[in-house]
Amino acid sequence: DAGVTQSPTHLIKTRGQQVTLRCSPKSGHDTVSWYQQALGQGPQFIFQYYEEEERQRGNFPDRFSGHQFPNYSSELNVNALLLGDSALYLCASSLGGPGGYTFGSGTRLTVV
Amino acid sequence: GQQLNQSPQSMFIQEGEDVSMNCTSSSIFNTWLWYKQDPGEGPVLLIALYKAGELTSNGRLTAQFGITRKDSFLNISASIPSDVGIYFCAGQLYTGANNLFFGTGTRLTVIP
């Protein structure tokens, strides 16, 4: 049973560029959340998608946007990259109820 | 937003020793979760707690949901080398908003 899969694993982008990260949720899960984890810190909530709509959003600027597809997979887009966007981006899936999420291994984004 | 503080920030212990770490919040949560993160990986759920005062075990791990709903602790008994990693607490409100708020993490090193 595949867990949460994310691609790519690593990515290097130049400041000002745009990036798209992808996530396939665990089989049977319908809710996808994205988190940003800066080095040495805990993950910070970006947003959550359910039924192809953004259901919740954390304290992140509009440069961060996302999408959920009918098969529940999701994309995270970041425009106008800043050096401070360098982080591990984690995708997590769930059935939407209370309790824990299943996390992917993340995409390490480096902005230079 | 909610701030979760974990202590200690780091621990160095001998193999076989017991470990205790805790997490405190400025706000009430309805669910407390404990995750472990290995280098280059996403967090893995260890224990989920859903009720104030609840004490739950998972093998050598035991966690409790504080009565005030603003704190939780995690104990690891008879530590082994594979316990090495970063442990995060996470709180969840689930009153329409079910995203996770993560703590600052406790880095555990086990000396063989």
Side-chain angles (χ1 to χ4, degrees), chain A residues 66-84:
Chain A
H67 189 78
Q68 186 179 34
F69 299 94
N71 66 353
Y72 306 120
S73 67
S74 177
E75 288 181 349
L76 164 65
N77 301 294
V78 187
N79 294 323
L81 284 166
L82 304 174
L83 296 180

Side-chain angles (χ1 to χ4, degrees), chain B residues 3 6 12 27 30-31 35 42 46 52-53 64 77 89 103 105 110:
Chain B
Q3 277 199 303
Q6 282 185 247
F12 290 80
S27 303
N30 295 330
T31 302
Y35 283 86
L46 300 174
Q64 184 157 30
S77 63
C89 63
V110 179

Side-chain angles (χ1 to χ4, degrees), chain B residues 22-82:
Chain B
N22 62 63
C23 187
T24 59
S25 168
S26 57
S27 303
I28 288 172
F29 287 110
N30 295 330
T31 302
W32 279 96
L33 305 148
W34 286 91
Y35 283 86
K36 178 175 182 274
Q37 187 174 26
D38 293 327
E41 299 292 329
V44 174
L45 181 65
L46 300 174
I47 291 182
L49 302 156
Y50 299 103
K51 189 176 175 183
E54 179 182 352
L55 185 71
T56 297
S57 293
N58 178 9
R60 294 179 296 106
L61 278 61
T62 301
Q64 184 157 30
F65 190 143
I67 293 176
T68 65
R69 294 165 62 194
K70 290 185 178 183
D71 63 329
S72 177
F73 73 74
L74 175 70
N75 287 340
I76 305 173
S77 63
S79 58
I80 59 178
S82 63

Side-chain angles (χ1 to χ4, degrees), chain A residues 16-34:
Chain A
Q17 285 188 315
Q18 178 264 344
V19 69
T20 297
L21 310 182
R22 295 176 176 82
C23 172
S24 292
K26 181 178 178 179
S27 178
H29 285 183
D30 59 5
T31 301
V32 173
S33 303
W34 287 91

Side-chain angles (χ1 to χ4, degrees), chain A residues 8-71:
Chain A
T9 307
H10 295 85
L11 202 53
I12 299 176
K13 288 287 190 177
T14 303
R15 190 172 45 183
Q17 285 188 315
Q18 178 264 344
V19 69
T20 297
L21 310 182
R22 295 176 176 82
C23 172
S24 292
K26 181 178 178 179
S27 178
H29 285 183
D30 59 5
T31 301
V32 173
S33 303
W34 287 91
Y35 288 78
Q36 180 195 65
Q37 186 176 24
L39 202 60
Q41 297 183 20
Q44 298 288 318
F45 174 70
I46 302 175
F47 43 53
Q48 183 180 86
Y49 277 84
Y50 173 69
E51 292 188 341
E52 302 179 49
E53 290 193 0
E54 183 182 292
R55 182 160 73 173
Q56 270 179 263
R57 189 178 184 90
N59 189 26
F60 279 80
D62 292 344
R63 297 186 298 108
F64 290 77
S65 63
H67 189 78
Q68 186 179 34
F69 299 94
N71 66 353

